[in-house]
Amino acid sequence: MTSLLEQAEQTLEKAQSGINPRWYPRYHLAARAGWMNDPNGLVWFDGWYHAFYQHHPYSIKWGPMHWGHARSKDLVHWEHLPVALAPEGPADKDGCFSGSAVVDGDTLALIYTGHKFHGSVDTDDNLYQVQCLATSRDGIHFERHGMVIDTPPGLHHFRDPKVWREGEYWYMVVGSRVENTGQVRLYRSTDLREWHDEGILAEAEDDMGYMWECPDFFTLGGKRVLMFSPQGLAAEGYKNRNLFQSGYLLGEWQSGQPFSHDGQFIEMDNGHDFYAPQSFLSPDGRRIVIGWLDMWESPLPEQQDGWAGMLSLPRELSLGDNNCVLIKPAAEVTALRGNYYPAPAHNLNNQKIFVASDADAVEVLLTWERNASTAEQYGIALGEGLSIYVDNQAQRLVVDRRYPEFSLEGTRSIALPADSTLSLRIFIDRSSVEVFVNEGEACLSSRIYPQPGQRDLILFANHGTATLKDAGYWSLNK
């Protein structure tokens, strides 16, 4: 009998030849075909970076979750590997949900949520989520060990384990929901198989969400960071504009003690599309994060092309002087750079200046002199669908996308930093844009869907002048 893993591989091999490449990323990781969402099991093992991800190989829509798998030597050039997990056991019969990976000696261990219904799938009363283990010596083929943590009494939503080693113990955080309150629960183990319940690490207060998905807990610059994706936050002005958010709480923690934090939830990305980020350590000790470059219930026009969903660029985290997490592209991203093309002009006076055509894989560098710029709006546009600009009146940096044919319209923005210069690194791929601000102070990520002939890069200044200290772009190689 053909296993579910073999069936998934056969399906993908047939489907990937039919992909329409018009929006398929040139340098981001996406599934060969079918559906992709959360990154899982990000880890360095046996000389390779491994990225697993939530995957439905049989359709362009969310379905019974598998774990897709790719590996890379440098975080930017990815090789697809066979599907690692399929829902083929009693503990995960309805889906292998999100989780993480750790290296245990010479073994790669995947810890993930088994998703199952006992009875009808029409009610959460029949839903049970348990934590499962699978291991591998070669990093490709996995032996399943079944459930290692059962659903706590009275819970139904209990998922997304993130495991790390600290001292003599393994620790695990798991997201959960108690009625309409999101929580992160903590566990401890010596062997990844027997786990001791350490209680609640953190939980929602003051309308901080009914479910906390994809928790991650790590040390950064001497502080403890609880990174998670809360569901159910109300929009407030410019904040929390997406259906769900991803962000962090900063505080202090020692084993056996409560997590002490100030309660200030800070979004990690202010664009239209970023969710379920997961972190890992590079071999040289950097904290790297990758997220899902999409948002639930947002249109995904690439579904008509045989695929859906992609992952963000790898991002390096550090702690700034003001105790805020700085987020910038991982250093490895510069390996993609090809030729550099300086901008044709650095001064704009109520005008538009052509920069490049057919920009489907570029990194743009712009450093604006804000004190010398009086224009009401100034920035850069990609065709007629995307513009990234300073709104001088509102004192905000804005990402504006306009693809009405796909019901994708609207802006996301951040308050302008206090500096007199505004430095932007803008990564444009076939269907995405990621904007990094002032060496990590902020980032905004959104999906974009330019039609043919709508990829010209244009600098502009409206109603006044704008001055660039530095400007140009690199073509990026796959």
Side-chain angles (χ1 to χ4, degrees):
M1 184 175 75
T2 304
S3 73
L4 291 182
L5 289 176
E6 292 171 323
Q7 291 179 32
E9 279 303 302
Q10 292 169 6
T11 299
L12 288 168
E13 287 174 8
K14 293 178 182 177
Q16 67 184 77
S17 62
I19 292 293
N20 183 338
R22 57 179 172 167
W23 294 316
Y24 192 85
R26 290 275 302 275
Y27 59 92
H28 288 75
L29 179 58
R32 288 169 284 173
W35 171 274
M36 166 197 273
N37 57 284
D38 305 1
N40 300 150
L42 305 178
V43 69
W44 171 264
F45 174 70
D46 197 24
W48 293 89
Y49 290 103
H50 290 259
F52 302 85
Y53 51 88
Q54 292 286 275
H55 185 30
H56 189 229
Y58 300 105
S59 82
I60 52 169
K61 296 183 179 180
W62 188 94
M65 284 291 99
H66 296 55
W67 273 38
H69 188 193
R71 68 180 181 181
S72 171
K73 288 287 189 181
D74 63 2
L75 283 175
V76 289
H77 299 91
W78 293 96
E79 169 193 357
H80 285 286
L81 294 173
V83 174
L85 296 174
E88 51 189 1
D92 59 19
K93 66 183 182 68
D94 295 310
C96 300
F97 273 25
S98 294
S100 54
V102 294
V103 178
D104 184 17
D106 61 356
T107 299
L108 179 60
L110 307 184
I111 304 93
Y112 66 97
T113 295
H115 181 74
K116 57 182 180 174
F117 285 89
H118 295 175
S120 169
V121 300
D122 296 330
T123 172
D124 282 359
D125 292 342
N126 295 329
L127 169 65
Y128 293 90
Q129 295 182 326
V130 300
Q131 312 319 316
C132 302
L133 174 69
T135 58
S136 172
R137 292 294 180 90
D138 64 4
I140 299 175
H141 305 92
F142 290 87
E143 177 185 359
R144 299 156 58 92
H145 302 282
M147 181 182 72
V148 294
I149 301 180
D150 202 351
T151 314
L155 290 191
H156 294 282
H157 293 271
F158 174 64
R159 56 182 176 266
D160 311 335
K162 178 67 192 298
V163 176
W164 75 99
R165 182 86 182 189
E166 193 161 335
E168 60 182 315
Y169 293 108
W170 295 102
Y171 291 90
M172 177 197 298
V173 284
V174 185
S176 65
R177 174 179 180 176
V178 176
E179 296 181 347
N180 286 316
T181 299
Q183 293 180 337
V184 172
R185 294 178 171 238
L186 180 67
Y187 296 83
R188 188 182 69 184
S189 173
T190 58
D191 62 2
L192 296 176
R193 288 162 172 79
E194 297 291 332
W195 291 89
H196 179 261
D197 187 347
E198 298 282 288
I200 297 170
L201 180 73
E203 66 180 342
E205 300 175 2
D206 301 324
D207 300 320
M208 270 291 292
Y210 59 78
M211 174 68 197
W212 285 8
E213 290 198 315
C214 304
D216 198 341
F217 197 52
F218 52 87
T219 301
L220 195 67
K223 292 285 188 177
R224 295 283 183 162
V225 180
L226 177 60
M227 183 173 72
F228 60 104
S229 296
Q231 298 179 325
L233 297 192
E236 180 184 347
Y238 291 106
K239 296 167 56 178
N240 307 330
R241 299 309 308 179
N242 295 330
L243 177 63
F244 302 135
Q245 326 323 311
S246 294
Y248 64 90
L249 297 169
L250 199 66
E252 309 284 347
W253 177 81
Q254 290 184 343
S255 181
Q257 301 296 318
F259 173 49
S260 173
H261 61 86
D262 62 8
Q264 184 182 7
F265 176 77
I266 299 176
E267 290 184 79
M268 296 193 71
D269 192 294
N270 296 93
H272 296 86
D273 296 290
F274 188 79
Y275 194 68
Q278 185 172 115
S279 81
F280 64 101
L281 286 174
S282 66
D284 60 1
R286 290 170 296 145
R287 180 63 59 176
I288 306 294
V289 160
I290 296 175
W292 182 41
L293 208 57
D294 287 291
M295 179 49 58
W296 294 110
E297 298 186 20
S298 179
L300 294 172
E302 72 266 25
Q303 288 175 317
Q304 61 190 277
D305 294 343
W307 65 283
M310 58 190 285
L311 300 187
S312 73
L313 285 176
R315 304 168 178 202
E316 180 180 344
L317 304 187
S318 60
L319 194 64
D321 295 336
N322 58 353
N323 275 341
C324 283
V325 175
L326 301 178
I327 306 171
K328 60 183 180 181
E332 287 84 349
V333 171
T334 59
L336 293 167
R337 288 175 176 173
N339 294 327
Y340 180 76
Y341 302 92
H346 282 205
N347 292 290
L348 296 84
N349 185 11
N350 199 30
Q351 66 186 127
K352 297 179 179 179
I353 295 176
F354 174 83
V355 177
S357 62
D358 197 26
D360 70 348
V362 296
E363 175 189 350
V364 180
L365 174 66
L366 300 176
T367 304
W368 295 100
E369 295 279 16
R370 289 180 53 204
N371 290 347
S373 301
T374 63
E376 292 182 4
Q377 297 177 340
Y378 56 92
I380 194 165
L382 181 73
E384 296 177 0
L386 172 70
S387 55
I388 302 156
Y389 63 89
V390 171
D391 184 328
N392 237 343
Q393 297 177 84
Q395 286 292 289
R396 300 189 72 82
L397 175 68
V398 180
V399 173
D400 187 350
R401 67 174 179 185
R402 301 287 170 184
Y403 303 100
E405 66 272 36
F406 303 122
S407 299
L408 288 168
E409 295 186 276
T411 64
R412 295 290 183 268
S413 66
I414 60 167
L416 285 172
D419 307 49
S420 61
T421 59
L422 177 66
S423 177
L424 306 179
R425 287 178 70 186
I426 303 169
F427 291 84
I428 296 171
D429 206 337
R430 282 179 175 157
S431 60
S432 67
V433 61
E434 292 166 272
V435 183
F436 295 88
V437 182
N438 281 15
E439 293 299 313
E441 290 186 20
C443 53
L444 303 95
S445 304
S446 299
R447 296 296 302 276
I448 59 174
Y449 297 93
Q451 299 283 28
Q454 288 293 320
R455 291 192 177 273
D456 286 353
L457 273 178
I458 304 290
L459 287 168
F460 66 89
N462 298 333
H463 305 291
T465 63
T467 301
L468 282 157
K469 181 179 179 180
D470 196 7
Y473 73 94
W474 287 270
S475 60
L476 298 184
N477 303 312
K478 184 176 180 180

